[in-house]
Amino acid sequence: MSMLHGVILLPFAAAAIVPLFYKLFKKVHTGWFVLPVPLLAFLYFIAELPSISKGEAIQATVEWIPSLGVDITAYLDGLGLLFALLITGIGALVVLYSIYYLSKEKEAIHRFYMYLLLFMGAMLGVVLSDNLIVLYGFWELTSLSSFLLIAFWYNRDHSRYGALKSMLITVFGGFAMLTGFILLHTMTGTFSLREIIDQAGLLSSHELFAPAMILVLLGAFTKSAQFPFHIWLPDAMEAPTPVSAYLHSATMVKAGLYIVARFGVVFGGDALWFWIVSLTGLVTMLWGSYTAVRNTDLKAILAYSTISQLGLIMSLLGLGSASFYTGGADTAIYTAAIMTAVFHLINHATFKGALFMVVGIVDHETGTRDIRKLGGLMAFMPVTFTFALIGTLSMAGLPPFNGFLSKEMFFTALLEVSTMDFFNVQSWALLFPVVAWIASVFTFVYCLIILFRTFTGPFPKEELGEPPHEASLGLLIPPGILAALVIVFGLFPNLLTYTLIEPAMKAILPTLDIVEAKKISFWHGFNTELKMTLGVIALGVVLFLTKRYWMRIYGYLPGNLSFSKIYDFLLKGSQRFSRAITDTYMTGSLRHYMIYIFAFLVLVGGYFLLRINPFERHGNIVFAEITVYEAILTGVLILAAAAVPFAKSRMAAIVLVGTVGYMVTLFFIVFRAPDLALTQMIVETVSVALFLLCFYHLPKLQRERSSSRMRIFKIILSGSVGLLVTMIALAVSNHQLFDSISDYFVEESYRSAGGKNIVNVILVDFRGFDTFLEIMVLAAASLAIYSLIKVRHRTEQGEQEEGRS
Amino acid sequence: MEILMSVTTGILFMIGTYMVLSRDLLRIILGTSMLTHGVHLLLLTMSRLKTGVAPIWSEDIGAYVDPLPQALILTSIVINFGVTAFFFVLAYRAYKELRTDDMEQLRGRDDE
């Protein structure tokens, strides 16, 4: 147990006692008790910052299942620290924000904070775990707590729909990732990430390499809302706004990026990884920004914008993976891509968190998030407007904010990719910058929409009623801090360069000798990147002003087709499909089920019987001779049995079955079994008597009511069953593998047990337990019969009367 | 004799199976009794037939038939009797309550 373990455990411990605070201190908002948790953790991670910056790492292990190689190993390096700071820092701000956002009277806030703390701990566990199985455990815990948080207002249909959707998609990815981890274990023999990385170079030739890569990526892509798994994120916006700000912009959706960054060293350097990650990122970026423009709900716009920005970071991680391939002189070009990814990851967390909180304030003050109903809020909410301005302009990539710098670096990275001369990049060289540029134009457009449709123009009094007023100070502080960070990181980017970014880069690229962060300069000359940015601004403004003319395009692309519809179709379709299958074979008819059972018996039994020859004799076997008596007996037995199905009346059927029973009795006599004959005779007599007793009450025997086709089928099936049994009996008779153990019973019956009737001695002495339990069976049967006849339910009428009262 | 008995048990099984596949409850119960007879004869046949005298111990007799299958069959007969009696009363009660013995009508409800 180390400090690091303690920090991961802290949120879980707090989650356990939060309801206690809620019950004990009704007057104080429970959030105040929660606030110290992320703050303390944040301070701890800040305190570790200097030593981690120097390139050190903390590792501590607690044994969990040593026999399976599963230990709880906490590992803190540059990348882990970066994420841990984001999680705890933004976590503290979100908790503060939620104190003012959620009413302690109207909402079940103890549940809210329990889920939130659970999520926080799980997220810390994901980024600080070295053991893959532990990592997976925390990973699923984030899915679960996210599910709980999305459905926080569980009375609403949309919340439940969104929660279910995100659960199904992320857990699907989670399972895929687990499979990938197990494949990695198969390849390397260890679950420890550190040890896997040590073997990184040896893996690429393994046949499981590509499957493991794709499965791990599936987990990362579903969690990080990459195309086409992005559909759950917009529906997750039904969660309370602090949740959206925390989980669905700053932390959970970045867990997939974390996985891609962590496993880059294992899988990177391979063309497959390079293309999958880069292209998925680019497509996601383009599709997200394109779709964001179409939406009218502020949170939905932000959700698609998050998808788009995550795609941007993902594509950078993909491009950066090329540095594992080259490994030589010009790695600096590709490590720059990784640096940009890390930088933008931080920037995105700051401005997206701020924007979500701003949207929450607007929602809180006006009661709507629909941009068609909003407008002219600038005059009433100047502070909120300022934060929104900073956030959107940073997201759009304008100076002097941090988004500008990361966007410039993004363009630089893309332009330099076109100089790559491997992985067949050249033939696609232009694709990267062009697609990214188009995506940036759309990004610019939706940023303008958020800003101007919400805050400028006339105030729609008839829609909103009284003008809103500025939010309370508590609601404004958290977005204020984030907006301040946006500016600080924009003006002084090198605050981060050597403290956070470089250690993170070293953690992402641990196998390279020299990894250096370049100094980020605010003004980098009048170069291609700047011209691209100017182009983005110019085209973006034009598109924004002419928006109403070209919005029709969305009617054609995507038109009626959307990935959510495909999801719904798949979900409903699979339900219908399984329902249809179940309905086909679960008919409710006893006869059908008997047919399945007998058919299975015949097919499987027959198959195995065919593999041996039942007619071949093994050992010295002498069959008993057949005398006239036995031949006659057999003939009568078969005749009586064969007549049963043809019996026209109940009486005839019962008598015929009785005849079969008495014939069996005679067989027992012939085969020297006096006790059996006695019992069989009595039982048969009693059975027939019982049949006749109930005779009067039973329905008339109907004629066979099956179709002739059914009858033929029944004959074939029962014929095969009979044949199978005959074959089994023959096979058994033809084999004598061991001597019987009955010699012992014969010898000891009189000597040890003092009885001469060997069968009876076996029944009551050698194997007395059988007899005891058989008596129990008879007792149970007689009790059951008694209660069946004696105990009557109330009549249906009585039940109805009871139900009514 | 073993071969003849094997064929006989096969026929009993065939008729029992055929009866169990019918629609009337009474036929199904009679079918189960046929199956039972088949099983008992099969058990006896499998232990070889007529290899000695009846298993009543006496000092001057060397060979007996195998007593163990007889004990097993005896147990089985009794258990089977209990079950058949219960089935029979069950059928009687079902018919009293539901006024039908057609298994196609005695299906599960649709909303299950």
Side-chain angles (χ1 to χ4, degrees), chain A residues 591 630 705 733 742 756, chain B residues 21 24 48 50 57 66:
Chain A
R591 181 151 64 170
E630 289 149 11
R705 277 170 293 186
S733 301
S742 296
K756 288 187 175 174
Chain B
L21 292 174
D24 315 278
R48 321 239 130 259
K50 301 202 278 185
W57 194 82
D66 197 337

Side-chain angles (χ1 to χ4, degrees), chain A residues 6-7 60 87 107 149 160-161 176 233 251 288 330 392 397 483 488 554 558 604 659-660 684 800:
Chain A
V7 174
I87 293 160
E107 308 284 3
L149 282 166
R160 295 199 304 271
Y161 172 79
L233 190 61
T251 53
D330 27 301
T392 45
V488 169
Y554 288 102
V604 175
T659 311
V660 173
E684 203 54 45
Q800 275 170 1

Side-chain angles (χ1 to χ4, degrees), chain A residues 7 10-11 35-50 76 81-93 120 124 481-482 485 489 500:
Chain A
V7 174
L10 183 66
L35 191 57
V37 174
L39 267 183
L40 279 175
F42 184 71
L43 290 177
Y44 166 79
F45 287 119
I46 286 283
E48 296 294 342
L49 192 55
L76 183 69
L81 183 71
L82 167 69
F83 273 90
L85 282 172
L86 282 181
I87 293 160
T88 51
I90 296 182
L93 294 177
M120 197 181 287
L124 280 177
I481 293 174
L482 288 174
L485 284 178
F489 292 158
L500 261 182

Side-chain angles (χ1 to χ4, degrees), chain A residues 240-494:
Chain A
T241 302
V243 173
S244 310
Y246 188 40
L247 274 69
H248 306 127
S249 73
T251 53
M252 189 177 91
V253 287
K254 296 203 166 110
L257 298 176
Y258 171 80
I259 293 292
V260 172
R262 263 290 181 236
F263 283 87
V265 58
V266 181
F267 296 117
D270 196 79
L272 193 61
W273 173 271
F274 175 85
W275 282 112
I276 294 181
V277 177
S278 313
L279 285 185
T280 309
L282 275 183
V283 171
T284 310
M285 184 188 178
L286 186 63
W287 186 255
S289 59
Y290 173 73
T291 317
V293 178
R294 178 164 91 137
N295 280 284
T296 53
D297 178 53
L298 281 172
K299 273 176 96 173
I301 299 178
L302 287 180
Y304 279 108
S305 130
T306 303
I307 291 167
S308 162
Q309 306 271 324
L310 292 171
L312 187 158
I313 301 173
M314 192 66 86
S315 66
L316 280 169
L317 288 175
L319 298 181
S321 74
S323 50
F324 293 110
Y325 180 78
T326 57
D330 27 301
T331 42
I333 299 173
Y334 314 113
T335 54
I338 296 286
M339 175 175 175
T340 314
V342 175
F343 188 45
H344 195 70
L345 192 106
I346 304 171
N347 294 344
H348 177 251
T350 54
F351 65 66
K352 194 51 67 66
L355 280 176
F356 266 109
M357 291 177 185
V358 163
V359 168
I361 291 173
V362 170
D363 191 12
H364 205 258
E365 302 300 327
T366 62
T368 181
R369 300 193 307 251
D370 194 331
I371 51 170
R372 287 167 303 189
K373 293 182 188 160
L374 290 165
L377 294 179
M378 186 162 59
F380 309 110
M381 307 168 79
V383 185
T384 312
F385 168 69
T386 314
F387 296 158
L389 185 75
I390 295 169
T392 45
L393 293 188
S394 175
M395 185 156 74
L398 290 188
F401 308 111
N402 57 7
F404 170 69
L405 296 172
S406 45
K407 181 143 290 183
E408 294 296 287
M409 289 159 69
F410 175 53
F411 284 153
T412 312
L414 287 172
L415 287 172
E416 277 173 351
V417 164
S418 31
T419 65
M420 281 188 190
D421 52 357
F422 51 91
F423 296 159
N424 295 324
V425 179
Q426 285 128 320
S427 39
W428 300 87
L430 264 181
L431 180 85
F432 287 89
V434 168
V435 168
W437 189 77
I438 298 171
S440 299
V441 172
F442 280 112
T443 305
F444 197 83
V445 174
Y446 70 69
C447 287
L448 293 185
I449 291 175
I450 295 177
L451 195 61
F452 288 110
R453 287 290 145 84
T454 313
F455 292 100
T456 61
F459 178 73
K461 204 163 166 110
E462 66 279 8
E463 293 268 6
L464 297 178
E466 286 307 298
H469 50 79
E470 188 57 89
S472 63
L473 190 63
L475 272 182
L476 287 173
I477 288 176
I481 293 174
L482 288 174
L485 284 178
V486 168
I487 298 178
V488 169
F489 292 158
L491 295 178
F492 310 102
N494 293 312

Side-chain angles (χ1 to χ4, degrees), chain A residues 612-669:
Chain A
I612 60 165
N613 181 4
F615 300 106
E616 192 186 344
R617 293 210 184 171
H618 297 263
N620 181 25
I621 295 165
V622 184
F623 282 157
E625 62 193 303
I626 306 173
T627 61
V628 183
Y629 292 125
E630 289 149 11
I632 294 172
L633 212 54
T634 312
V636 175
L637 176 74
I638 291 173
L639 278 180
V644 173
F646 301 102
K648 291 273 190 301
S649 71
R650 296 174 284 178
M651 194 60 155
I654 291 168
V655 167
L656 283 170
V657 172
T659 311
V660 173
Y662 288 119
M663 289 303 123
V664 172
T665 310
L666 290 179
F667 265 117
F668 286 151
I669 293 172

Side-chain angles (χ1 to χ4, degrees), chain A residues 587-591 594-595 598 621-626 630 634 637-638 641-642 644-645 647 650 653 657 660-661 664 667-668 670-676 679-680 683-684 686-687 690-691 694 697-699 701-702 704-705 711 714-715 717-719 721-722 725-726 728-730 732-733 735-736 740-742 745-746 750 756-759 762-763 767 770 774 777-778 781 784-785 788-789 792, chain B residues 1-15 17-30 33-35 37 40-42 44-46 48-59 62 64-79 81-86 88-93 95-97 100-108 110 112:
Chain A
T587 54
S589 159
L590 180 72
R591 181 151 64 170
M594 295 310 289
I595 288 173
F598 283 123
I621 295 165
V622 184
F623 282 157
E625 62 193 303
I626 306 173
E630 289 149 11
T634 312
L637 176 74
I638 291 173
V644 173
R650 296 174 284 178
V657 172
V660 173
V664 172
F667 265 117
F668 286 151
V670 169
F671 295 141
R672 284 92 157 126
D675 298 289
L676 287 187
T679 318
Q680 179 67 36
V683 162
E684 203 54 45
V686 175
S687 295
L690 191 69
F691 276 113
C694 295
H697 302 281
L698 279 173
L701 198 62
Q702 305 276 339
E704 276 269 10
R705 277 170 293 186
R711 207 174 298 175
K714 273 164 61 180
I715 290 170
L717 186 62
S718 48
V721 171
V725 172
T726 304
I728 291 173
L730 280 179
V732 172
S733 301
H735 285 71
Q736 175 82 49
S740 171
I741 57 165
S742 296
F745 293 132
V746 172
Y750 187 62
K756 288 187 175 174
N757 185 332
I758 305 171
V759 174
I762 291 175
L763 281 175
R767 301 177 54 91
D770 287 358
E774 160 201 341
V777 169
L778 269 193
I785 290 169
L788 207 55
I789 293 173
R792 297 283 167 95
Chain B
M1 190 71 222
E2 274 86 347
I3 296 171
L4 187 62
M5 286 311 287
S6 299
V7 175
T8 313
T9 17
I11 290 171
L12 281 176
F13 264 90
M14 178 181 133
I15 293 162
T17 310
Y18 186 84
M19 303 276 286
V20 166
L21 292 174
S22 354
R23 283 172 73 166
D24 315 278
L25 206 46
L26 185 60
R27 275 207 172 87
I28 293 176
I29 295 172
L30 293 178
S33 312
M34 304 287 279
L35 285 176
H37 290 316
H40 293 162
L41 287 183
L42 186 61
L44 206 61
T45 310
M46 281 176 166
R48 321 239 130 259
L49 299 169
K50 301 202 278 185
T51 49
V53 300
I56 311 290
W57 194 82
S58 165
E59 267 185 56
Y64 300 93
V65 293
D66 197 337
L68 189 57
Q70 297 195 8
L72 297 182
I73 295 170
L74 196 59
T75 312
S76 169
I77 290 174
V78 175
I79 290 175
F81 169 65
V83 174
T84 309
F86 175 70
F88 208 73
V89 176
L90 194 66
Y92 157 75
R93 285 289 296 148
Y95 183 69
K96 276 273 165 196
E97 294 283 323
T100 179
D101 72 328
D102 186 353
M103 289 313 289
E104 295 300 297
Q105 288 173 19
L106 290 171
R107 289 185 178 202
D110 287 340
E112 265 172 32

